[in-house]
Amino acid sequence: SDAVSIDNGVCVKVGQRWPLMIDPQMQANKWIKAMEDVNGLRLIKLSDPNFLRTLESSIRVGNPVLLEDLGEDLDPSLEPILLKQLFKQGGRILIRVGEQDVDYDPAFKLYMTTKMPNPHYLPDVCIKVTLINFVITLDGLEDQLLGEVVKKEKPEL
């Protein structure tokens, strides 16, 4: 409800690259879950043993994916996805995930979050993603609290 959150939301929705959100208070996580739940959002972590398989199936069927709790280093198998390295083969649109070529559904979306409040990503990571800072500012917190109070006291507004 505050200006920074609105700007962040616009960057997530219309950015050309997949968003990597700095989210220590888990606000972006909650927002993505609420927004994409109806589209079959899949939640994964790099530590999950089947994270690549889940990613492949989501790309195939067009489910959005929220990759949570990232550190400062990204898995190299994400690179073709981050760079959207799509190619055509026999009339099919494909992308390489790990060792496999996977059919690419244009409805697929990738969201990434880190809980680290001040991560230091290398430039080669920063050029592959849209880095968005969801850390709450004092002004943003005031605006959000005011919005909640107004919603409770004057719901018609």
Side-chain angles (χ1 to χ4, degrees):
S1 62
D2 63 284
V4 173
S5 296
I6 291 168
D7 290 346
N8 286 346
V10 169
C11 289
V12 168
K13 297 285 274 178
V14 301
Q16 295 296 307
R17 292 173 285 176
W18 301 124
L20 171 49
M21 297 163 272
I22 300 167
D23 188 28
Q25 289 94 9
M26 304 292 288
Q27 282 203 320
N29 240 8
K30 281 193 261 179
W31 175 62
I32 295 295
K33 287 175 183 175
M35 178 177 66
E36 293 288 3
D37 191 48
V38 296
N39 298 320
L41 179 68
R42 306 290 304 268
L43 305 174
I44 58 175
K45 296 178 181 177
L46 288 178
S47 59
D48 292 347
N50 295 326
F51 106 89
L52 261 184
R53 238 180 269 141
T54 303
L55 200 53
E56 286 174 18
S57 66
S58 298
I59 290 170
R60 228 180 242 114
V61 298
N63 289 115
V65 170
L66 176 55
L67 184 52
E68 300 178 298
D69 299 337
L70 287 177
E72 290 180 342
D73 298 316
L74 301 183
D75 190 296
S77 60
L78 291 172
E79 186 153 329
I81 299 164
L82 296 178
L83 296 174
K84 299 182 182 179
Q85 293 177 333
L86 305 175
F87 60 95
K88 282 191 176 183
Q89 190 175 60
R92 296 169 32 204
I93 299 174
L94 302 168
I95 190 165
R96 181 163 285 274
V97 179
E99 298 294 315
Q100 275 192 296
D101 292 339
V102 177
D103 286 301
Y104 183 85
D105 187 317
F108 169 75
K109 293 178 190 160
L110 177 64
Y111 304 97
M112 297 166 284
T113 59
T114 181
K115 290 180 184 175
M116 294 187 300
N118 191 20
H120 299 284
Y121 288 107
L122 295 174
D124 72 309
V125 171
C126 295
I127 62 170
K128 296 173 190 167
V129 299
T130 300
L131 200 56
I132 305 170
N133 193 346
F134 270 83
V135 173
I136 297 175
T137 63
L138 185 56
D139 288 340
L141 187 58
E142 288 174 0
D143 288 347
Q144 289 178 21
L145 288 172
L146 179 60
E148 290 298 315
V149 169
V150 169
K151 203 183 305 179
K152 290 270 190 225
E153 294 186 6
K154 297 275 186 182
E156 67 275 5
L157 295 177

